[in-house]
Amino acid sequence: MTIRVLVVDDQAMVRAGFAALLDAQSDIDVVGDAPDGRQALEVSGRTHPDVVLMDVRMPGMDGLEAARRLLDPPPGVVHRPRVLMLTTFDVDDYVYEALRAGASGFLLKDAPPADLISAVRVVAAGDALLAPSVTRRLIADFARNRPAPRRDPRLRLNGLTPRETEVLELIARGLSNQEIAAHLVLAEQTVKTHIGRILAKLDLRDRAQAVVLAYESGLVRPGAQ
């Protein structure tokens, strides 16, 4: 199955470079590009990409607003691509907000080409790009420094079983399904089942939002191991 990708960045050379790199992969097809968020919405509506590589900072409509609109479309729009945020900075307030909006993760623009290709495949498969330690640090930093949300997120965890709560904590600490299975002495398929139930119960789109909620609820403390 070919992964359809839309590249969004205000720098033409960056868009061309990413597009050329991804198009060279047999399982990836770049279906369009856009220089800002507004045009990204238009191109996405025409091309229906599976993954949108979205720059965070752009003139006009920035990547955050575009991600919000793509991930929470108006009534009648059924297509919702996965969004992978691109940033020049390893700590960026916009990225945290994008994760809360439902983006599947983020990647630094200066990451090795192999990481970009892998990120697109990971996100297209429905997983969140949370393995790099910088991602966990970013979420931890903003969860620690921001005021508590108006609704206590701890209340949302009350519907989880003790095992599901344990799995959520390990997700937030950056463990993969395989690592969680080994840590809890469970089958990997059982871990996947727990994660599916956690996302459903908490009304979360993917692991990225689960990590954010785990930090905001206090289940995992920033900086704790």
Side-chain angles (χ1 to χ4, degrees), residues 1 4 9 17 31 35 42 46-47 66 69-70 99-101 107 125 135 141 161-162 178 187 197-198 203 208:
M1 178 179 172
R4 297 166 60 82
D9 194 286
V31 297
E42 296 173 0
R46 294 197 310 267
T47 61
R69 297 193 186 192
L70 285 172
L99 291 175
R100 296 189 69 181
L107 192 70
T135 307
D141 284 347
T161 66
Q178 185 176 14
R197 289 174 179 165
I198 291 167
D203 191 25

Side-chain angles (χ1 to χ4, degrees), residues 1 7 15 65 75 79 92 101 108 124 128 136 204 206 215-216 224:
M1 178 179 172
V7 180
R15 294 198 308 273
E65 180 61 25
H79 177 68
D92 194 316
L108 297 180
R136 297 195 297 273
L204 301 173
D206 59 21
Y215 277 108
E216 289 186 335

Side-chain angles (χ1 to χ4, degrees), residues 7 14 26 30 32 50 68 83 86 125 134-135 139 152 158 165-166 168-169 187 196 203 222 225:
V7 180
V14 172
S26 60
V30 176
D50 300 306
R68 283 176 176 151
V83 176
L86 296 168
V134 64
T135 307
I139 295 173
D152 189 345
N158 289 344
T165 301
E166 194 172 13
L168 175 59
E169 179 180 351
D203 191 25
Q225 298 297 321

Side-chain angles (χ1 to χ4, degrees), residues 30-177:
V30 176
V31 297
D33 66 85
D36 58 46
R38 193 169 303 282
Q39 292 190 46
L41 298 178
E42 296 173 0
V43 177
S44 178
R46 294 197 310 267
T47 61
H48 293 176
D50 300 306
V51 177
V52 177
L53 288 179
M54 183 78 75
D55 187 22
V56 171
R57 301 181 183 222
M58 295 180 290
M61 183 186 294
D62 64 16
L64 174 59
E65 180 61 25
R68 283 176 176 151
R69 297 193 186 192
L70 285 172
L71 297 169
D72 187 19
V77 177
V78 297
H79 177 68
R80 286 206 310 174
R82 299 278 175 176
V83 176
L84 177 61
M85 305 302 295
L86 296 168
T87 179
T88 307
F89 310 99
D90 65 350
V91 175
D92 194 316
D93 187 44
Y94 287 105
V95 178
Y96 178 79
E97 293 297 341
L99 291 175
R100 296 189 69 181
S104 294
F106 90 103
L107 192 70
L108 297 180
K109 283 187 178 181
D110 59 359
D115 286 1
L116 174 63
I117 296 167
S118 175
V120 169
R121 290 172 176 153
V122 166
V123 170
D127 294 325
L129 190 69
L130 292 172
S133 60
V134 64
T135 307
R136 297 195 297 273
R137 188 178 75 242
L138 177 140
I139 295 173
D141 284 347
F142 284 110
R144 176 176 54 209
N145 295 329
R146 285 172 171 269
R150 283 175 292 181
R151 295 180 61 186
D152 189 345
R154 289 174 295 183
L155 299 178
R156 294 181 63 183
L157 303 185
N158 289 344
L160 299 183
T161 66
R163 176 64 84 189
E164 289 166 352
T165 301
E166 194 172 13
V167 170
L168 175 59
E169 179 180 351
L170 295 175
I171 291 173
R173 295 192 186 283
L175 273 66
S176 67
N177 289 357

